[in-house]
């Protein structure tokens, strides 16, 4: 083989490896964002997708196993839908009743979600004190607004 052919072949292999590593390292970029209702209605359809979903934490459902570093809990939405969550990772600091939980991961069996990441934020910061009237659309609009300058 000519020297130029070998250099070009090596360059293509390196470029292909870089593209593969970038795609493998960023699963969230190919994911989809769903409401809990949409996810539960089409769970089988999204079983191979990387999904972002959010809901309100049910405090009495929290089961933390520090030996396995496993967190199990339930989420609800304002329409009464309920989803069981399993997360093999650390428990967020402000993990308590009335917290909005944002999950990224994949649905598994019926009404169950395996979360790769669990993030929390307090609904009172965005919606006022009444957690029962949480509106994800209003919340999203507030997040999309540019920050105000003082």
């Amino acid at each position: 083989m000519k020297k130029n052919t070998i250099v070009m072949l090596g360059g293509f292999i390196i470029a292909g490896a870089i593209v593969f590593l970038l795609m493998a390292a960023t699963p969230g970029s190919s994911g989809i964002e769903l409401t809990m209702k949409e996810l539960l209605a089409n769970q089988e359809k999204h079983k191979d997708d990387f999904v972002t979903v959010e809901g309100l934490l049910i405090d009495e459902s929290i089961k933390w196993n520090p030996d396995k570093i496993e967190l199990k809990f339930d989420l609800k939405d304002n329409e009464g839908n309920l989803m069981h969550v399993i997360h093999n990772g650390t428990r967020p600091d402000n993990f308590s009743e009335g917290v909005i939980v944002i999950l990224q991961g994949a649905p598994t069996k019926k009404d169950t979600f395996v979360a790769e990441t669990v993030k929390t934020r307090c609904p009172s910061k965005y919606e006022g004190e009444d957690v029962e009237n949480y509106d994800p659309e209003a919340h999203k609009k507030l997040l999309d607004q540019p920050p105000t300058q003082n």
Side-chain angles (χ1 to χ4, degrees), residues 74-87:
D74 295 337
L75 292 182
K76 64 181 179 179
D77 65 6
N78 56 353
E79 295 180 23
N81 296 304
L82 181 71
M83 184 169 64
H84 309 290
V85 181
I86 302 168
H87 173 60

Side-chain angles (χ1 to χ4, degrees), residues 24 27 53 55 62 74 87 131 140:
V53 65
I62 299 171
D74 295 337
H87 173 60
V131 177
K140 187 173 181 176

Side-chain angles (χ1 to χ4, degrees), residues 17 38 50 84-85 89 98 132 134 137:
E38 293 169 333
F50 188 79
H84 309 290
V85 181
E132 295 298 320
Y134 168 65
E137 289 302 315

Side-chain angles (χ1 to χ4, degrees), residues 116-135:
E116 288 184 25
T117 62
V118 176
K119 298 176 186 175
T120 60
R121 79 176 134 234
C122 178
S124 62
K125 182 175 180 179
Y126 302 100
E127 289 289 316
E129 296 298 320
D130 188 7
V131 177
E132 295 298 320
N133 296 323
Y134 168 65
D135 180 10

Side-chain angles (χ1 to χ4, degrees), residues 89-148:
T90 58
R91 178 180 171 158
D93 290 335
N94 60 337
F95 211 65
S96 61
E97 183 77 32
V99 169
I100 299 169
V101 180
I102 302 162
L103 307 172
Q104 291 181 320
T108 56
K109 58 187 178 184
K110 183 168 173 40
D111 300 339
T112 303
F113 191 88
V114 175
E116 288 184 25
T117 62
V118 176
K119 298 176 186 175
T120 60
R121 79 176 134 234
C122 178
S124 62
K125 182 175 180 179
Y126 302 100
E127 289 289 316
E129 296 298 320
D130 188 7
V131 177
E132 295 298 320
N133 296 323
Y134 168 65
D135 180 10
E137 289 302 315
H139 182 193
K140 187 173 181 176
K141 286 177 189 174
L142 283 172
L143 291 177
D144 292 339
Q145 291 178 357
T148 57

